[in-house]
Amino acid sequence: MRKHLSLPALALVCCCFWGIQAEVYTSIGQMTDLIYTEKELVQSLKEYIQAEESKLAAVKSWANKLDVLTLASTSDPEVYLAHPVNAYKLMKRLNTEWSELESLVLQDPSDGFISNMTVHRQYFPDEEDEKGAAKALMRLQDTYKLDSESFSKGKLPGVHHNAILTVDDCYDMGKTAYNEADYYHAVLWMQQALRQMDAGEEHVVSKADVLDYLSYSVYQMGDLPRAIELTRRLVAIDSSHQRAGGNLRYFEKLLSKQLKELNQEVQEPATEEPIQLGTYKRPKDYLPEREIYEGLCRGEGVKMTSARRSRLYCRYHDGNRNPRLLLQPMKEEDEWDSPHIVRYLNALSDSEIEKIKELAKPRLARATVRDPKTGILTTANYRVSKSAWLEGEEDPVIERVNQRIEDITGLTTQTAELLQIANYGVGGQYEPHFDFSRKDEPDAFKTLGTGNRVATFLNYMSDVEAGGATVFPDFGAAIYPKKGTAVFWYNLFRSGEGDYRTRHAACPVLVGCKWVSNKWIHERGQEFRRPCGLTEVD
């Protein structure tokens, strides 16, 4: 039984202005400029069409004029040529004007359009971008428990534009999953393609191809009766299909063997209910707290009780009478009691946010994680975003933001990491992780020479229409992005031991564009600002 091999076909026609960069899909900020590039290409295409139409109009004009002339000349050639002017004009036409017409026909108005395409093509997203964007939709589908039809019809919360997936789009999604041996999602998307096809939607892909992928994927999910039923539909459509007959005999033989082992003579017919989300169990993966994490992303399992809420307060915070905060203290709100997480309102102004984004955009590169064994930064599939690092000396705004963080927290930022700007792409996320280095990874921050990450200061630089929450699976907290605010928590106890409760995640962005800036504050230099203690109590 041969598996299908094919390339995903969710074509993205766009480009990037910051040089050749892979993984364009990991940053909405960079992708926004692709919209304008596509608009430019459409304009170029319109100009090409106009040039072709002008050329064709000129050729038609020639043809009409010559048709009239030849009609007159061929009625009686000798009489026609008896007139010396007609004889002269015949010589002129054949010697000069037909050559001009030939040149006109040989003109290629597509040169400008092709040239424009060639210039931009080197920046087009590649196959990995296309595959990454398709997998991002599947990740959103899983996290927020959305069926394929919700995506296909654009039924997403907070959307402002209609966006639908055609039969062929759904088929390509299914093929992307299939080629990754992800039969769970292959089934969902091939079934959606079949559903829309049966509803009468226009399509290029054949029903036989859809049934071919779907039947084999259903078999891989362990549903032999339905695989047989789908393969029989395939044989009925295309009796000469090169794999269908063999697959059907194999499936039937396998089912017969299973029935004998179960001492059953007749198998109940396959259910008539269509395949949908929940028909098959989603395979387990490497993340132990997957269900808790994704539940929190959906707003499920948040452990904000009435008793806990009664312990949360809001207050004005002047940073221990810091001179820069005395006249205009920060508005501080408790987000969680233990571990203590606070949110600061108006931590960044709109103008500061725009300046930070302006500085970061040209440098955005795929976000990395630190290898726990080597301490080297590397990319990871569980972190889908792009980031840039900004120094205080680069612009007064960055210096001012760093100083404000120091004033608010009372901790020095002289030994902190640079301000990291992150922009999340299609389905952008950062799965559960610790910000601090654990005992089994002592060299994680060794090259920095500033100790462990004692605290995290996270600025939200955009609102997010749906998704994108910061969640803490250990104690069931969900904190939602709000533009201009910042959240702060300690990663280490005063004893220097890590607070394992602070394992957190950035939920996938369902709808919107998420920008954040992180300031990771390190131990070195905090000796008198946050004195050590002997207990694991903050």
Side-chain angles (χ1 to χ4, degrees), residues 81-373:
L81 292 173
H83 198 299
V85 171
N86 286 340
Y88 162 71
K89 293 188 72 173
L90 176 63
M91 298 300 102
K92 179 185 176 185
R93 282 199 305 277
L94 292 175
N95 182 56
T96 306
E97 295 179 5
W98 273 97
S99 296
E100 293 174 0
L101 179 57
E102 181 183 25
S103 298
L104 175 62
V105 171
L106 290 174
Q107 285 179 9
D108 190 354
S110 67
D111 288 347
F113 174 69
I114 297 300
S115 177
N116 202 4
M117 282 284 290
T118 302
V119 169
H120 290 305
R121 189 180 298 279
Q122 60 183 315
Y123 306 116
F124 278 15
D126 57 19
E127 184 182 332
E128 287 304 308
D129 281 302
E130 182 181 331
K131 184 164 65 176
K135 289 168 113 176
L137 291 189
M138 298 173 204
R139 180 164 58 249
L140 292 173
Q141 183 178 27
D142 294 338
T143 303
Y144 298 104
K145 288 191 174 179
L146 300 168
D147 57 32
S148 301
E149 187 171 10
S150 295
F151 274 107
S152 178
K153 304 305 179 186
K155 298 175 183 176
L156 302 179
V159 296
H160 304 294
H161 301 280
N162 291 328
I164 63 172
L165 292 173
T166 65
V167 171
D168 297 288
D169 290 333
C170 294
Y171 171 74
D172 290 332
M173 287 284 292
K175 279 206 301 183
T176 298
Y178 186 97
N179 291 335
E180 294 285 308
D182 179 4
Y183 302 110
Y184 172 77
H185 289 107
V187 167
L188 292 177
W189 286 101
M190 287 299 175
Q191 174 65 35
Q192 182 60 28
L194 185 62
R195 184 182 293 118
Q196 293 179 212
M197 190 179 284
D198 288 341
E201 289 189 22
E202 293 184 0
H203 52 87
V204 175
V205 63
S206 70
K207 182 174 286 190
D209 284 340
V210 173
L211 287 168
D212 190 16
Y213 279 98
L214 180 58
S215 59
Y216 189 79
S217 298
V218 165
Y219 155 70
Q220 287 288 347
M221 293 304 295
D223 190 348
L224 270 174
R226 197 189 294 264
I228 290 171
E229 185 267 331
L230 289 167
T231 308
R232 284 173 178 166
R233 285 184 63 183
L234 172 57
V235 171
I237 292 172
D238 184 1
S239 59
S240 62
H241 193 280
Q242 65 180 44
R243 286 182 300 277
N247 283 358
L248 182 57
R249 289 188 293 274
Y250 176 79
F251 294 158
E252 290 175 336
K253 182 179 179 182
L254 199 57
L255 181 59
S256 177
K257 181 181 178 182
Q258 289 183 2
L259 291 175
K260 286 182 180 179
E261 292 174 353
L262 296 172
N263 294 320
Q264 288 183 235
E265 294 183 1
V266 180
Q267 170 66 36
E268 294 183 6
T271 175
E272 295 295 326
E273 295 182 5
I275 300 169
Q276 55 190 349
L277 202 65
T279 298
Y280 301 119
K281 190 174 181 181
R282 181 177 158 202
K284 297 285 185 182
D285 65 6
Y286 55 86
L287 193 62
E289 68 263 65
R290 171 74 63 189
E291 290 184 13
I292 297 173
Y293 153 57
E294 292 183 350
L296 288 169
C297 290
R298 296 189 298 271
E300 302 169 4
V302 177
K303 299 176 182 178
M304 179 57 74
T305 63
S306 299
R308 171 167 282 120
R309 188 176 287 106
S310 69
R311 297 192 293 269
L312 305 181
Y313 300 93
C314 59
R315 63 190 71 83
Y316 284 106
H317 175 76
D318 62 11
N320 244 354
R321 298 190 62 76
N322 186 294
R324 281 179 285 269
L325 296 179
L326 278 176
L327 294 179
Q328 192 174 0
M330 298 296 296
K331 296 175 182 177
E332 181 184 88
E333 297 179 351
D334 291 333
E335 286 281 352
W336 209 259
D337 55 345
S338 181
H340 195 204
I341 303 175
V342 295
R343 186 194 293 263
Y344 295 101
L345 308 186
N346 304 318
L348 288 176
S349 67
D350 287 348
S351 60
E352 287 173 333
I353 289 173
E354 291 308 311
K355 185 62 180 179
I356 292 171
K357 288 163 65 174
E358 177 189 326
L359 293 170
K361 258 190 173 184
R363 310 183 201 178
L364 288 175
R366 178 69 187 267
T368 57
V369 296
R370 198 173 293 276
D371 188 292
K373 295 183 178 179

Side-chain angles (χ1 to χ4, degrees), residues 16 21-28 30-31 34 123 125 129 386:
C16 182
Q21 296 188 18
E23 298 165 323
V24 177
Y25 77 97
T26 61
S27 168
I28 293 292
Q30 288 190 342
M31 288 177 68
L34 308 184
Y123 306 116
D129 281 302
K386 283 193 173 182

Side-chain angles (χ1 to χ4, degrees), residues 2-17:
R2 186 172 61 84
K3 293 185 178 181
H4 310 297
L5 295 175
S6 59
L7 298 178
L10 284 172
L12 299 174
V13 184
C14 43
C15 74
C16 182
F17 287 116

